[in-house]
Amino acid sequence: MTGLAATLVVFALAAFLFAGYRVAAHRGVSWPQGLALLKLRALFRLELPDEDRDGDQPAPARATIHIYSRQSGLDVAVLWSLLDRSCLHFLTPADRTSASLFAFRLLARTADLDAADALEKALANGRSVTVPVPPDIEPSAETLERYAALAESARRHGALIRAWHVRGSVHSIWSARPSAEAPRRLLPRFRLGCSSALDPTDPAPPANGAADPQDRDRIHDLLAEARFKSNDLDKTLFSAFRDSADRYGSAGPVLEDALGGKLTYKRIFVGARALGKRFSGMSDPGEALGVLLPNANAVIVTLMAIQSAGRVAAMLNYTAGPAAIVSALSTARVRTVLASRAFIEKAGLETVVSAIEKAGVSIVWLEDLRESIGPVEKLLALINWRRPLSRTEPGDPAVILFTSGSEGTPKGVVLSHRNIHANAAQAEARIDISVRDRLFNVLPVFHSFGLTGGAILPLLYGVRLFFYPSPLHYRIIPAVAREVQPSIMFGTDTFLAGYARTAKETDFASLRLIVAGAEAVRAETRRIYAERFGARILEGFGMTEAAPVAAVNSASHSRDGTVGRLLPAMALRLEPVEGIDEGGRLFVSGPNVMLGYMLAGEPGVLKPLTGGWHDSGDIVTVDGDSFIAIRGRAKRFAKIAGEMISLGAVEMMVQNLWPEDIHAAVAVEDKRKGERIVLVTTRMPALREELREYSRRFGATELMVPGEIINVPEIPVLGSGKTDYVSAQKIADEWVSSHRAGRKTGASD
């Protein structure tokens, strides 16, 4: 028996050595590198980038600086197993003395991180190098300078630059992060992300040997791209959440709501499995189920149950009114709506329920479903919580959201599992979040910002989430925030300004970051949160069709007056617009851009995008540093005396004059000039002469001064927090119509 065991050991060792030789020959690396790659695959289930998995990528003809965000002491070993055997690896002081890297240091070519001469010499000799940088998503000023220096070295020697990211290694016992930020696992799964190659000489650098000011941003973008690509997007939302449960499940409750309920990942999945079984019995595979629920724990359990059952969640805007909800149900061919009886009674939505039932759509009360689930079903759900009930694909529809209708008839936006997962991964590659954070979400999940940013993003990356049911409770929310102590909050300018008016200085003291979107953030709102609460507002930009985030400012890359820079893996193009000299109409593409629309005229029919590009309908400018500034909606330009005037720019001018009030600019017909601008404002009084005088100092043209000013107690807003321009337009039209009628009556008298 001993002899047999020894024979088996020798045979296994020989097989391992031979397999290492085959891998090394296939990938063009040394035998020890091939053996190391085999071990990494066996121990950490290392997944390589898609384009590199088969090993048929030719080695770069030029020397390359391989930059990687050092997540752990194993990252350099992963890169060594893959890259050219002559590559020089620069090591941090910790890696220079690490016992786990002893064999690596014997076999690889290494140098101290601070040995600048070694870098220059290696590149001059045509050898590639690997260089670690700090693991922070938001680089410090010192790190940005390091990026610039590396770009200069690459430019001098004609080298390329490529970024890498080893996802999962931060959770190993060799992690570079404290355990409070990255929960440890003995053998976590590794997945390698690789960016495209950057040639620092293209475009040509500035003349006279000056440094290129964009070097820092270009390398920062490479690292964000690598981080994004290290995510496995070939997963359904159910599978992605299950992976998060494995990764962060030991951290305790991750979801909490205003009712006091607390759920761990496992409890979410057990409930989803039990409910999903019932959803499967009342619907067909791929069918859309309406979700009429507030921000509460139940909405996440219901969403996961729908995904487990292989159905599609049609998120219904309960603030839109009965007619709009019935229209949405028809557009998505929804036969069943999932709702909470307690929520309907508390929110006073009985008329909505009545309209839904009159339309022939069934309502299933979650309270009744939970009561009907017996002990055996609960036990089976506990046993099988990791397994979805139905098989779906990442490219299948997962969610249908409905456009806000701020400027027209709402449409159904169909988002796949991959769309939503990709957008969360894109945001995580740009915004620094960790399990230390707690996100306070008041934005409703029927809105794409509230769903992806406020619910899916935090739960995919281990951030504790607190749900509050309504963003309109301006007096209550600051007090709740004082108790919850969140570090991150999402919101819109309208909501944030409302909270600030009632908040005490200590209410938002715990916040380190506020991400605002859906509408422009006013300078006054930024000032208040910075001075009173010490919190910085980062403005982003998106649309439901992009799941929703397309661009965002960050702590290290921010520019007031812009919505930030495009997210990784996205592309944009600008098309010229007649009458507008600067900027153009924005089109976007990327893995987060929707599958297509469902329209009321053809219920249930998916209208896919043409060529993968979505027309945002926004007029934007993009500066030399790639920051995007919104000039306005294409539909929100007035044509006055042959000139195109941005209504958004008018609002910005008025906001600068009267920062403590809310304003909406719309256009009405004018027989003499084509159109004229009407300002709907909460300013009381709002004097046109004061505005005209300020416009001269502001540098505005006479055409930008509103022809009429209408005072209102409040500006109408949608449930998402955006200005309701349809209602504002009606106010203006009715006011102008009544005043015209009054003038005619006066003239006849």
Side-chain angles (χ1 to χ4, degrees):
M1 191 69 180
T2 304
L4 177 60
T7 301
L8 291 175
V9 169
V10 171
F11 179 79
L13 179 60
F16 175 69
L17 294 175
F18 179 71
Y21 172 78
R22 290 287 304 273
V23 169
H26 184 58
R27 302 194 62 87
V29 296
S30 66
W31 190 16
Q33 287 174 286
L35 293 173
L37 181 57
L38 278 181
K39 288 191 291 184
L40 288 167
R41 282 177 162 171
L43 293 174
F44 301 102
R45 294 156 291 169
L46 171 66
E47 296 180 54
L48 304 180
D50 292 339
E51 68 273 14
D52 216 25
R53 187 170 290 144
D54 297 327
D56 55 2
Q57 279 283 91
R62 295 159 61 180
T64 302
I65 299 178
H66 298 282
I67 301 176
Y68 63 97
S69 173
R70 185 182 176 276
Q71 304 295 302
S72 81
L74 292 182
D75 291 9
V76 67
V78 172
L79 294 182
W80 170 70
S81 71
L82 297 168
L83 299 177
D84 183 79
R85 68 186 73 186
S86 66
C87 187
L88 178 65
H89 301 273
F90 287 88
L91 302 182
T92 65
D95 291 343
R96 292 289 295 174
T97 58
S98 172
S100 59
L101 292 177
F102 177 75
F104 158 77
R105 291 194 299 273
L106 289 177
L107 298 169
R109 293 176 170 87
T110 65
D112 290 329
L113 184 58
D114 295 331
D117 290 345
L119 175 71
E120 294 293 327
K121 184 177 179 180
L123 294 177
N125 291 331
R127 289 169 57 190
S128 296
V129 299
T130 67
V131 180
V133 295
D136 306 304
I137 294 175
E138 299 282 9
S140 65
E142 181 181 357
T143 301
L144 288 171
E145 287 303 315
R146 177 65 170 158
Y147 295 169
L150 289 170
E152 280 295 298
S153 295
R155 189 175 293 118
R156 276 194 299 273
H157 299 286
L160 300 175
I161 301 176
R162 190 185 290 272
W164 301 81
H165 186 85
V166 185
R167 183 166 296 275
S169 70
V170 74
H171 299 290
S172 70
I173 58 176
W174 299 275
S175 176
R177 297 274 194 182
S179 58
E181 293 182 12
R184 301 293 194 261
R185 298 184 63 198
L186 181 59
L187 296 173
R189 183 188 295 270
F190 286 4
R191 194 169 195 276
L192 186 62
C194 177
S195 76
S196 53
L198 169 67
D199 184 348
T201 63
D202 183 23
N208 303 321
D212 189 340
Q214 293 186 350
D215 282 342
R216 301 169 182 81
D217 296 344
R218 295 164 76 187
I219 293 181
H220 175 68
D221 290 346
L222 287 183
L223 288 162
E225 180 189 349
R227 188 179 186 96
F228 167 73
K229 287 185 175 180
S230 68
N231 288 276
D232 184 2
L233 300 183
D234 287 327
K235 290 181 179 291
T236 63
L237 286 179
F238 184 94
S239 297
F241 269 94
R242 184 187 59 205
D243 289 348
S244 299
D246 292 339
R247 192 175 299 117
Y248 307 109
S250 61
V254 72
L255 179 61
E256 187 177 356
D257 62 18
L259 299 175
K262 295 183 180 182
L263 295 179
T264 61
Y265 281 107
K266 186 172 181 180
R267 287 192 63 187
I268 292 172
F269 276 98
V270 171
R273 174 79 186 197
L275 281 179
K277 189 73 173 175
R278 297 304 177 91
F279 296 165
S280 296
M282 66 178 68
S283 58
D284 297 326
E287 181 179 338
L289 297 175
V291 178
L292 192 66
L293 294 170
N295 281 14
N297 293 348
V299 76
I300 294 297
V301 176
T302 301
L303 180 64
M304 282 297 101
I306 291 173
Q307 305 308 320
S308 176
R311 275 53 174 176
V312 181
M315 311 301 291
L316 301 175
N317 179 354
Y318 47 80
T319 70
I325 290 176
V326 170
S327 174
L329 295 174
S330 173
T331 297
R333 284 190 173 176
V334 173
R335 297 185 301 161
T336 305
V337 170
L338 309 170
S340 161
R341 190 178 284 109
F343 167 60
I344 296 298
E345 292 174 357
K346 191 167 185 178
L349 296 175
E350 290 81 4
T351 55
V352 170
V353 170
S354 177
I356 291 173
E357 292 176 334
K358 285 181 181 178
V361 177
S362 301
I363 294 184
V364 173
W365 303 107
L366 293 181
E367 292 94 338
D368 296 343
L369 274 187
R370 284 197 294 266
E371 291 285 332
S372 67
I373 297 174
V376 175
E377 289 177 284
K378 291 179 180 178
L379 178 60
L380 291 174
L382 179 63
I383 294 171
N384 297 305
W385 69 272
R386 296 180 53 82
R387 298 172 54 198
L389 289 155
S390 295
R391 179 180 175 81
T392 52
E393 298 298 326
D396 291 342
V399 170
I400 302 174
L401 296 166
F402 298 91
T403 57
S404 62
S406 58
E407 296 163 10
T409 304
K411 295 171 284 192
V413 176
V414 183
L415 299 172
S416 69
H417 297 263
R418 185 180 287 111
N419 290 152
I420 298 172
H421 189 185
N423 200 227
Q426 289 167 320
E428 189 266 348
R430 279 281 173 80
I431 299 175
D432 188 16
I433 58 175
S434 76
V435 296
R436 277 184 170 177
D437 286 309
R438 172 172 287 188
L439 192 150
F440 187 35
N441 183 25
V442 301
L443 298 179
V445 291
F446 61 70
H447 183 244
S448 55
F449 192 16
L451 178 65
T452 301
I456 292 175
L457 169 65
L459 293 178
L460 279 180
Y461 294 100
V463 176
R464 291 169 295 166
L465 173 61
F466 184 92
F467 265 145
Y468 191 80
S470 172
L472 299 175
H473 297 167
Y474 293 118
R475 295 187 178 278
I476 300 174
I477 285 172
V480 174
R482 186 173 64 248
E483 296 297 321
V484 173
Q485 293 287 295
S487 57
I488 304 174
M489 184 174 178
F490 286 176
T492 68
D493 181 81
T494 299
F495 294 149
L496 293 173
Y499 308 147
R501 283 194 291 270
T502 63
K504 300 175 182 177
E505 272 65 15
T506 57
D507 288 348
F508 294 122
S510 61
L511 287 175
R512 70 174 180 86
L513 180 66
I514 300 173
V515 181
E519 60 179 345
V521 178
R522 297 172 298 152
E524 179 70 4
T525 308
R526 295 181 194 277
R527 183 190 66 78
I528 289 173
Y529 274 84
E531 293 180 1
R532 291 188 57 197
F533 311 119
R536 184 175 186 179
I537 297 178
L538 299 177
E539 187 172 359
F541 164 68
M543 58 212 83
T544 306
E545 294 85 351
V549 187
V552 68
N553 283 290
S554 65
S556 62
H557 289 75
S558 180
R559 186 164 295 172
D560 287 351
T562 76
V563 293
R565 301 160 71 242
L566 209 63
L567 291 180
M570 292 198 73
L572 65 78
R573 76 169 194 261
L574 300 183
E575 292 195 354
V577 177
E578 183 183 358
I580 297 176
D581 298 328
E582 187 181 3
R585 189 172 183 129
L586 175 67
F587 287 73
V588 296
S589 68
N592 54 314
V593 176
M594 67 174 179
L595 295 177
Y597 285 120
M598 283 185 180
L599 306 177
E602 298 181 70
V605 178
L606 176 64
K607 298 288 187 181
L609 287 176
T610 303
W613 287 93
H614 169 64
D615 177 4
S616 72
D618 291 290
I619 309 299
V620 310
T621 59
V622 183
D623 67 20
D625 295 324
S626 301
F627 284 90
I628 300 170
I630 309 297
R631 293 198 59 190
R633 295 285 293 171
K635 296 179 181 178
R636 299 205 66 244
F637 277 75
K639 193 168 187 178
I640 303 175
E643 291 193 30
M644 300 293 286
I645 305 298
S646 168
L647 298 175
V650 173
E651 290 175 354
M652 186 181 300
M653 176 184 70
V654 178
Q655 198 67 60
N656 285 342
L657 174 61
W658 298 317
E660 296 181 357
D661 298 284
I662 311 296
H663 320 278
V666 296
V668 298
E669 183 182 356
D670 186 282
K671 292 182 179 179
R672 188 166 59 91
K673 294 185 177 181
E675 289 183 306
R676 79 174 183 274
I677 299 171
V678 175
L679 179 68
V680 183
T681 177
T682 60
R683 176 74 177 181
M684 193 78 70
L687 303 178
R688 189 167 183 272
E689 285 307 312
E690 184 182 356
L691 182 54
R692 184 191 299 277
E693 174 61 28
Y694 178 77
S695 71
R696 298 190 184 101
R697 302 196 305 272
F698 187 76
T701 66
E702 179 68 21
L703 296 178
M704 289 181 64
V705 179
E708 310 282 354
I709 297 178
I710 304 173
N711 298 114
V712 294
E714 59 182 22
I715 297 295
V717 296
L718 299 162
S720 62
K722 294 181 181 179
T723 298
D724 185 350
Y725 285 108
V726 171
S727 297
Q729 186 72 57
K730 288 179 180 178
I731 292 172
D733 290 341
E734 291 172 1
W735 189 92
V736 170
S737 177
S738 64
H739 279 66
R740 283 175 180 168
R743 283 195 291 269
K744 288 180 180 179
T745 302
S748 63
D749 290 344

